Amino acid sequence: MSAGSPSVQMDEVRRRCQSLLSVSGSAQDVKADVQTMANIPLPLSEKYRHFGVEAMLRENTAGCNKQEVLESLSRLVKALSILEKYGCNLTSPARPRYWRSVKHNNPVFRTTVDAVKGGRRVLFLYGYTNQQIDGLSFPDEVSEPDTEKVAAVTLEVMTLRAEVDMLIKGTHPHPEHYKDIIPSIVQQNKSVSDAVVVPPAEEQQAAKLQPPTPPPKPTPSTVGPLKPSTAPPAASDCNLCGGPSSVVCPSCTNQPFCDACDDLYHRHPSRATHKRDKIQKTKDETCSICGISPVHAQCSTCVQRLCLKCDMLFHSHPDRKGHKRTIITPAKTSSPSLSPWECAHCTTVNEMRAVLCSTCERPRLATAASTVQDSPVSVPTSPNTEWQCKSCTVVNQGSSILCEVCERPRLATRPPVAPVLSSPGSLPDCGTKWICQFCTFVNTKPSLECEMCNLSGKDSSGVSLPQSLQQTPSIPKNQPQPGTRPQPKPRVNLELKRQMMMKEDGLNLIHQIREAEKCGISPEEVYTAILCSGNNTKPCDWLTSELPHLLDEICAMAASVQLNYRAGDSGIEAAVERDGGEPEPSVANVTGGGVKLSRAEAKQAWLAAGGDTDRAVRQLLRDRQVKMKELHSLGFRDASQCEDALRLSGGEVKGALSLLQRPLLEPFHQRIWTDQPEPPIDPNNPDKQRMCRRLLALYDLPSWGRCELVIALLQEPEVNYSLEDVVNAVKMSPDKDFIRRLLNNECPFCCNVYPQSKMQSLTSCQCSVCHECFKMHFTIAVRDKHIRDMVCPGCGEPDINDPEQLDSYFSTLDIQLRNCLEKEVYELFHKKLTEHALMKDPKFLWCCHCTSGFINDGDQLKVTCPSCRKSFCAQCKKPWEAQHQDLSCEQFQQWKRENDPEYQRQGLAGYLRDNGITCPHCRFQYALTKGGCMHFSCSQCRYQFCSGCNNPYHKTGCKTPQCAFNGLHAHHPRDCLFYLRDWEPPRLQELLKKSGVEFNTDPSTGTQSDACCVMEQKDEGGLQIDSPCGVKTQPGQAGLCEKHYREYLVSLINAHSLDPAPLYDAQELIRACERYQVDKQRAENEDDNVYHARLLKKLMEVPLGEQVPRNK
């Protein structure tokens, strides 16, 4: 075989696969040929012509070991598989719906194609050259992909995927073509140490299991003699500190050491001459992004090994937050001693080999000082921060420099506390007493914590603590000398005794308050009870047994004082004035003859007076006077009733008001709970206030003025408003004129006057109809008319030809008719509404024999109406005949023209009938001509359209641009019968002759020629009746009258899509340009023929009617 035979074979297989793939788009059809192309021994530059395979492989495998190269190649195989599917989808005859674009946020695309380098270049070759915000797409001007080019690129993608897959599995027949691109894969003679990475922890065990290997051969770069050792020492833990070791000492029985321990251990003179060997360490695996830091986590989604910082940054993107990562614990390859260390005591950063701190000379592993005295004085972080004095513990403002109490500086330390001397001549009692350095409390018990603040009493000077707690050397006690006088006992410390009493009293009070709270007694009551009863009695017991009698005594004393004051005793008045009250000259009138007080009022006064009985009496009388004055100001003048109400309510004003108002409301309660009917509101009642109050209570009017307005409107002469109508109108507005307009609305149909609340309006217009007329109109429309006749009885809105507006109108009309129509009429409305919705189904058919409609689920031409059981064609809507079987509708019509005598006898009248009017909305066909009035209304769906062009008729403004006509109108194209019916038959025949279209001028054999027999719709007596035309025929018009012969010629023009514009004269051409908004501005010195030719060219650019019936 010649040298060029692989190239020839490659070209033949490529050409065959490309043609097959561009037609079928199936990868299975070319799978065997692709494997053949992958096995052909050709260089990559000759085998791959469209994209650089070498560059793609280098980009995805650069700077990696063998394991990572295999992982990169596996990702590349997945990406090439997805790219292969993209190419096959583009070459497939049944392309996907969204083949024009590729989205970047697609998870499959993001984890495969976008995860390798060079994937988007392949998509660019496919044709995805337009860069979008969220992906790639074909340019807008490209309608179809270049299947030949896509097939060629897809074949190369499939071939490369097959070759890379064989390289991963090690089955590639010609790996030498990849030795310069992926050397780590194709090398055959590679040692096990290069192929397998042994963790440091397993290296030593592996070295023990392996037999001794022969020493390596010397190389030119080897300096010095070879050592007898078989391999460098393996890494292990330090013999002293347990950290990762860096050297091994053969003289010390091959013990490993880290750098710091080695420096410390071999500093001894006997070990200073030892020689140590460095331990080889495996290189740490670095991050795949930065390439510097060690690997912290491995992501299984994006197949990357990242360090801590790169992992946090890379996976902070919203699209990559859900990736699952596995934390990788790196092997210990370095000792903490290799880096500088910080002293825990003085925070000095020392060198890595230093054992002692260079500042405080503390050991490297020593902990921080735990005593407060050894640490420096803490300084506030900010000069504006509050600070606590070290001497008196007072919290000072941040701006002050000296303490506000002891005037010591802010940074001054705590002064030493001298021992307390019981007397000037006595010795200090240091063994039992000591002063707390925080709260200055004199403690008498030998304890390490203060009895008051529970803080440690340790002092730097050692003065505050008693001698029994201080660690001092034992001193022998001095024996008393004979003959010496004994010392007197120390005096009692009065200050200490006072402090202890205060402490005991405070703790006792707190205990009593807590016990009282469990019984529901307030702290104020406890404190006042202690003041009254003393400390010997429990406050709770005293409050239960003695307080009620004391409160009764206070009430009796207050009543006695009130009687004395009434008798003119000035002493009591003076006492009230001294106690802070003001003299009341009318106290007797306010309080009445005998004051009646309650225990609740007496208790409040007793608490306010702090347990003082006399002050409580005066306070009770003052409070009662204030409450009585408040009740008198509210209209309650009977002092006795007010006294009773306050006593029963416990002195509460609100409770007293409720009791005083209850008798006043009793008649009202009796009236509202009786079964008698409520008397009507009489606007002419003289008690106007009562009528207004009743209006407020019954009709919830917003104000008193609105009630008066209701009464004023009802009192107007010659009005017949009902009370409910006036109230509803007044609630809407306080304007009298506006209310009159609301109350006087004339119904346009029955001409009666009703208020606005009794008028009904539709959402489609502004017309208002009374309830009776509204109900009558829609009842008749539902029973006797079509669903589309249910419009406003006044203006006929909405436009039934707008389906969007009609659906919205029916949805709101259903809500209005629900409570208006009778039940059976409303059900009939729902039935017609359902039929209206079914007509929108494309499978809905109207029967040509009757007026029924149904859903046809079959796919046969012959369908049978379920109502009349007659058959017709589902496509042409003609009655079914046996000859229509196995024939299309066009073939069947042609057969009838040639073989049916009845059809031949009808002549062109039958042609016009068969090509009659078809409703463009519901597709119901009418065997009628299009002549006469062009405004046609479908009897099935009430759709109004032009019978010549099928365009809709609009009752009001339409959506056509620059159309300002608001009446009944339609927009006809220039080839519509609406315009061409005014042309003479010879002119229409001339248009057909120019286009080579044949037409009839003679009647068919056997047809009557004296009268036109074409069926048309006529209005006779208000009814639409189908009857023959009956107009006398003219010679040369194929047995038709002139009107229907024009319709016949226009149907031929429309069927062959002929443009009548070339036959326009100058006037018609200008009018047509105005009608279709063609620029008719004439250039300066432009010739008439040139001007008309230019206008004709622009006019013919306007398309003909889109819905005009034409030949298919």
Side-chain angles (χ1 to χ4, degrees):
M1 187 178 292
S2 61
S5 59
S7 301
V8 174
Q9 182 185 1
M10 186 72 183
D11 292 339
E12 291 179 357
V13 177
R14 179 188 285 115
R15 190 181 307 107
R16 182 172 64 254
C17 292
Q18 184 174 343
S19 60
L20 184 60
L21 186 62
S22 61
V23 173
S24 64
S26 175
Q28 295 294 330
D29 297 344
V30 296
K31 184 177 182 180
D33 292 335
V34 168
Q35 190 64 35
T36 303
M37 295 169 62
N39 294 330
I40 295 177
L42 280 177
L44 300 182
S45 58
E46 297 182 14
K47 186 179 291 187
Y48 300 96
R49 301 176 179 177
H50 290 84
F51 63 95
V53 174
E54 299 180 3
M56 178 181 287
L57 292 174
R58 284 193 177 95
E59 289 175 353
N60 289 281
T61 60
C64 303
N65 55 31
K66 183 178 179 180
Q67 186 64 27
E68 293 184 353
V69 168
L70 291 175
E71 293 178 359
S72 301
L73 292 179
S74 299
R75 289 197 298 269
L76 183 60
V77 169
K78 294 180 181 178
L80 292 175
S81 177
I82 299 301
L83 290 172
E84 173 188 332
K85 293 180 181 179
Y86 278 125
C88 292
N89 288 337
L90 293 177
T91 57
S92 175
R95 284 190 292 273
R97 182 177 180 182
Y98 301 103
W99 63 271
R100 296 187 60 89
S101 61
V102 176
K103 302 298 183 182
H104 290 168
N105 56 1
N106 187 344
V108 178
F109 177 85
R110 188 170 62 249
T111 57
T112 55
V113 179
D114 225 16
V116 299
K117 298 179 180 179
R120 295 197 183 187
R121 291 199 294 268
V122 178
L123 293 175
F124 187 85
L125 294 175
Y126 282 161
Y128 295 101
T129 58
N130 193 7
Q131 181 70 37
Q132 301 290 339
I133 299 177
D134 56 346
L136 300 172
S137 67
F138 275 80
D140 296 337
E141 62 271 8
V142 177
S143 59
E144 297 289 335
D146 188 357
T147 55
E148 297 294 334
K149 182 178 178 181
V150 173
V153 177
T154 306
L155 283 176
E156 294 189 359
V157 171
M158 297 170 67
T159 306
L160 179 60
R161 182 176 67 85
E163 290 201 56
V164 174
D165 189 43
M166 289 190 294
L167 284 175
I168 295 174
K169 298 177 181 178
T171 60
H172 199 289
H174 306 287
E176 62 273 5
H177 297 299
Y178 295 88
K179 63 181 180 179
D180 296 331
I181 304 173
I182 319 175
S184 59
I185 298 298
V186 300
Q187 284 182 0
Q188 301 295 331
N189 301 324
K190 194 163 187 179
S191 60
V192 178
S193 61
D194 293 335
V196 181
V197 179
V198 181
E202 301 175 3
E203 249 181 39
Q204 196 170 3
Q205 298 178 4
K208 295 178 181 179
L209 296 176
Q210 295 293 337
T213 58
K217 296 181 180 181
T219 59
S221 60
T222 305
V223 179
L226 290 173
K227 294 184 179 181
S229 61
T230 59
S236 62
D237 295 337
C238 177
N239 190 40
L240 296 180
C241 66
S245 60
S246 59
V247 295
V248 63
C249 182
S251 302
C252 301
T253 65
N254 291 328
Q255 291 184 1
F257 300 94
C258 63
D259 291 339
C261 295
D262 173 57
D263 182 65
L264 179 64
Y265 187 75
H266 288 92
R267 191 180 298 178
H268 195 272
S270 62
R271 295 186 290 269
T273 59
H274 288 188
K275 293 182 179 180
R276 282 87 73 188
D277 296 332
K278 291 288 184 181
I279 298 177
Q280 279 192 353
K281 298 182 180 180
T282 57
K283 186 178 179 181
D284 291 342
E285 186 179 0
T286 58
C287 175
S288 59
I289 293 181
C290 64
I292 300 174
S293 303
V295 174
H296 170 71
Q298 178 178 1
C299 181
S300 59
T301 305
C302 54
V303 197
Q304 296 195 61
R305 300 167 72 87
L306 307 174
C307 63
L308 178 60
K309 293 184 179 179
C310 294
D311 176 50
M312 294 174 62
L313 180 63
F314 184 74
H315 288 96
S316 62
H317 193 274
D319 295 339
R320 295 187 283 268
K321 281 186 176 180
H323 289 191
K324 295 183 178 179
R325 282 99 72 193
T326 304
I327 304 300
I328 299 176
T329 305
K332 295 182 180 181
T333 56
S334 62
S335 174
S337 60
L338 297 179
S339 59
W341 58 279
E342 181 181 355
C343 180
H345 180 73
C346 62
T347 68
T348 301
V349 179
N350 302 274
E351 296 180 359
M352 64 178 181
R353 294 184 179 273
V355 180
L356 300 178
C357 177
S358 59
T359 302
C360 63
E361 296 184 354
R362 288 178 178 268
R364 180 175 184 175
L365 301 179
T367 57
S370 58
T371 58
V372 181
Q373 287 77 13
D374 294 337
S375 61
V377 179
S378 60
V379 182
T381 56
S382 173
N384 295 326
T385 308
E386 294 182 350
W387 59 278
Q388 186 178 20
C389 180
K390 301 295 184 180
S391 302
C392 61
T393 67
V394 174
V395 179
N396 300 274
Q397 296 182 359
S399 59
S400 61
I401 299 176
L402 299 178
C403 177
E404 298 178 359
V405 177
C406 63
E407 297 183 353
R408 289 183 62 85
R410 180 175 185 175
L411 301 180
T413 58
R414 184 175 61 256
V417 182
V420 178
L421 299 178
S422 58
S423 63
S426 63
L427 294 175
D429 190 6
C430 298
T432 57
K433 299 181 181 179
W434 57 281
I435 299 177
C436 178
Q437 60 183 345
F438 299 104
C439 64
T440 68
F441 179 76
V442 179
N443 294 271
T444 57
K445 297 179 181 180
S447 175
L448 293 177
E449 294 183 354
C450 177
E451 297 181 18
M452 183 62 66
C453 62
N454 295 327
L455 296 178
S456 176
K458 186 177 180 181
D459 186 66
S460 59
S461 60
V463 179
S464 299
L465 290 177
Q467 292 181 0
S468 61
L469 299 178
Q470 295 181 8
Q471 296 180 359
T472 56
S474 60
I475 301 175
K477 298 182 180 179
N478 295 326
Q479 298 295 331
Q481 298 294 332
T484 58
R485 296 179 60 184
Q487 298 293 334
K489 294 182 179 181
R491 298 179 181 178
V492 178
N493 193 340
L494 299 179
E495 183 66 21
L496 178 60
K497 184 177 181 180
R498 184 185 64 83
Q499 291 182 4
M500 294 301 296
M501 290 179 62
M502 290 176 59
K503 178 181 178 181
E504 292 177 0
D505 293 343
L507 294 176
N508 187 26
L509 179 61
I510 292 174
H511 175 72
Q512 291 177 353
I513 289 175
R514 290 177 179 175
E515 291 294 331
E517 286 179 348
K518 297 178 182 179
C519 301
I521 301 174
S522 64
E524 292 81 4
E525 297 179 28
V526 173
Y527 180 73
T528 310
I530 293 174
L531 294 178
C532 294
S533 63
N535 296 328
N536 298 327
T537 306
K538 292 184 178 181
C540 296
D541 298 341
W542 188 89
L543 290 171
T544 305
S545 60
E546 301 297 332
L547 181 60
H549 302 290
L550 179 61
L551 296 180
D552 292 339
E553 183 180 352
I554 292 175
C555 293
M557 292 175 62
S560 176
V561 169
Q562 181 63 31
L563 292 176
N564 295 334
Y565 182 78
R566 183 183 179 188
D569 191 350
S570 60
I572 299 299
E573 181 180 358
V576 172
E577 291 181 8
R578 286 195 307 268
D579 209 41
E582 296 181 359
E584 296 290 343
S586 59
V587 172
N589 297 331
V590 172
T591 59
V595 63
K596 299 175 183 179
L597 300 170
S598 63
R599 286 185 180 179
E601 295 177 90
K603 186 175 182 180
Q604 294 295 330
W606 175 70
L607 291 175
D612 190 347
T613 306
D614 295 337
R615 289 183 56 194
V617 171
R618 291 192 292 269
Q619 183 67 34
L620 179 59
L621 291 175
R622 279 197 300 268
D623 294 342
R624 174 55 68 90
Q625 290 174 7
V626 173
K627 296 173 184 177
M628 290 291 292
K629 289 181 63 177
E630 185 176 355
L631 293 177
H632 287 188
S633 64
L634 295 175
F636 298 97
R637 299 294 180 181
D638 192 344
S640 177
Q641 292 182 358
C642 293
E643 292 284 353
D644 292 337
L646 286 172
R647 181 179 59 83
L648 294 175
S649 64
E652 293 290 336
V653 178
K654 291 184 178 179
L657 281 175
S658 177
L659 294 174
L660 292 172
Q661 290 174 348
R662 187 173 299 170
L664 301 178
L665 294 175
E666 188 63 26
F668 174 73
H669 291 161
Q670 294 294 334
R671 186 172 68 253
I672 63 176
W673 289 111
T674 55
D675 297 333
Q676 297 179 0
E678 184 72 20
I681 297 177
D682 185 9
N684 298 320
N685 194 312
D687 192 354
K688 184 177 180 181
Q689 290 188 356
R690 182 182 180 186
M691 295 297 105
C692 290
R693 284 195 297 269
R694 291 188 61 191
L695 286 174
L696 283 174
L698 295 177
Y699 295 100
D700 194 20
L701 287 170
S703 64
W704 186 273
R706 299 285 182 97
C707 299
E708 295 179 342
L709 182 59
V710 170
I711 295 176
L713 290 171
L714 292 174
Q715 290 177 350
E716 290 183 355
E718 298 180 359
V719 294
N720 54 354
Y721 308 140
S722 65
L723 177 62
E724 288 76 11
D725 296 338
V726 176
V727 169
N728 292 331
V730 168
K731 284 183 179 180
M732 298 177 65
S733 173
D735 188 3
K736 213 170 200 179
D737 296 335
F738 179 75
I739 294 173
R740 289 194 180 96
R741 290 196 298 271
L742 291 178
L743 295 174
N744 295 278
N745 292 273
E746 184 178 357
C747 177
F749 298 99
C750 63
C751 299
N752 293 330
V753 177
Y754 296 96
Q756 184 66 35
S757 59
K758 295 184 179 179
M759 300 291 287
Q760 188 78 28
S761 299
L762 296 174
T763 58
S764 58
C765 60
Q766 302 296 328
C767 301
S768 294
V769 187
C770 69
H771 289 316
E772 293 297 327
C773 295
F774 184 84
K775 179 180 179 181
M776 185 181 300
H777 167 73
F778 281 101
T779 301
I780 296 173
V782 170
R783 285 178 175 173
D784 304 335
K785 296 184 180 181
H786 194 267
I787 187 71
R788 286 174 170 262
D789 293 330
M790 297 181 191
V791 293
C792 177
C795 61
E797 288 293 328
D799 187 6
I800 61 174
N801 289 335
D802 189 352
E804 213 176 283
Q805 185 178 359
L806 197 62
D807 293 340
S808 175
Y809 167 71
F810 279 137
S811 62
T812 56
L813 181 63
D814 180 34
I815 300 174
Q816 290 180 298
L817 297 182
R818 185 175 303 167
N819 299 323
C820 176
L821 302 179
E822 297 178 359
K823 183 178 180 181
E824 58 273 10
V825 179
Y826 180 72
E827 291 176 355
L828 180 60
F829 166 72
H830 256 278
K831 181 180 178 181
K832 291 190 174 183
L833 198 61
T834 305
E835 293 178 354
H836 172 72
L838 290 176
M839 287 171 56
K840 300 178 182 178
D841 195 317
K843 296 182 180 181
F844 184 82
L845 295 177
W846 287 107
C847 178
C848 66
H849 301 285
C850 62
T851 59
S852 299
F854 57 93
I855 300 293
N856 179 33
D857 293 328
D859 55 355
Q860 301 293 329
L861 289 178
K862 181 181 178 181
V863 293
T864 302
C865 176
S867 298
C868 63
R869 309 305 299 174
K870 294 182 180 180
S871 302
F872 61 95
C873 178
Q875 184 173 352
C876 62
K877 308 297 188 300
K878 299 293 190 301
W880 184 258
E881 299 182 21
Q883 292 78 10
H884 201 333
Q885 189 72 31
D886 299 331
L887 293 178
S888 64
C889 295
E890 291 78 8
Q891 294 173 349
F892 175 66
Q893 292 296 329
Q894 184 66 28
W895 179 86
K896 290 196 70 174
R897 295 190 191 100
E898 296 174 357
N899 301 288
D900 191 354
E902 182 65 24
Y903 191 88
Q904 294 174 353
R905 184 166 49 254
Q906 293 177 1
L908 292 182
Y911 172 81
L912 293 178
R913 183 195 63 192
D914 292 339
N915 295 275
I917 302 173
T918 302
C919 177
H921 186 262
C922 66
R923 310 307 300 172
F924 189 82
Q925 292 187 350
Y926 297 88
L928 301 173
T929 62
K930 304 175 183 178
C933 180
M934 307 297 293
H935 181 195
F936 194 85
S937 179
C938 179
S939 61
Q940 299 297 324
C941 63
R942 293 299 191 271
Y943 187 74
Q944 301 180 26
F945 59 96
C946 173
S947 60
C949 60
N950 290 337
N951 284 348
Y953 265 88
H954 304 279
K955 292 183 178 181
T956 56
C958 61
K959 299 180 181 179
T960 305
Q962 300 180 359
C963 177
F965 195 77
N966 291 324
L968 182 65
H969 69 287
H971 296 277
H972 309 278
R974 60 180 178 274
D975 60 340
C976 178
L977 179 62
F978 184 81
Y979 297 120
L980 296 181
R981 65 181 176 177
D982 297 333
W983 286 22
E984 295 296 330
R987 192 179 182 187
L988 297 173
Q989 292 174 352
E990 181 183 356
L991 179 60
L992 293 171
K993 289 178 181 178
K994 284 187 176 182
S995 302
V997 179
E998 297 181 355
F999 55 90
N1000 293 335
T1001 57
D1002 298 327
S1004 301
T1005 57
T1007 59
Q1008 299 178 359
S1009 58
D1010 53 347
C1012 181
C1013 59
V1014 176
M1015 299 297 293
E1016 62 181 6
Q1017 192 179 68
K1018 296 182 180 180
D1019 189 2
E1020 296 182 3
L1023 300 176
Q1024 303 292 331
I1025 300 175
D1026 300 339
S1027 61
C1029 174
V1031 180
K1032 186 178 181 180
T1033 60
Q1034 299 294 331
Q1037 295 181 355
L1040 301 175
C1041 64
E1042 184 177 351
K1043 178 180 67 173
H1044 290 118
Y1045 187 66
R1046 290 179 183 178
E1047 180 183 347
Y1048 162 68
L1049 296 177
V1050 172
S1051 65
L1052 294 177
I1053 293 173
N1054 293 334
H1056 293 83
S1057 301
L1058 303 182
D1059 195 341
L1063 298 184
Y1064 283 170
D1065 55 16
Q1067 296 291 337
E1068 291 176 334
L1069 184 60
I1070 293 175
R1071 283 199 302 270
C1073 290
E1074 293 175 353
R1075 185 183 303 120
Y1076 301 109
Q1077 301 176 4
V1078 177
D1079 186 14
K1080 60 184 182 61
Q1081 187 175 2
R1082 187 168 186 170
E1084 188 176 357
N1085 299 326
E1086 187 176 10
D1087 186 62
D1088 291 343
N1089 295 331
V1090 176
Y1091 173 61
H1092 293 156
R1094 181 170 58 83
L1095 288 182
L1096 179 61
K1097 182 179 179 181
K1098 288 185 178 182
L1099 180 62
M1100 293 184 69
E1101 292 177 357
V1102 178
L1104 299 176
E1106 297 180 356
Q1107 301 188 33
V1108 174
R1110 308 185 189 281
N1111 285 341
K1112 298 181 181 178

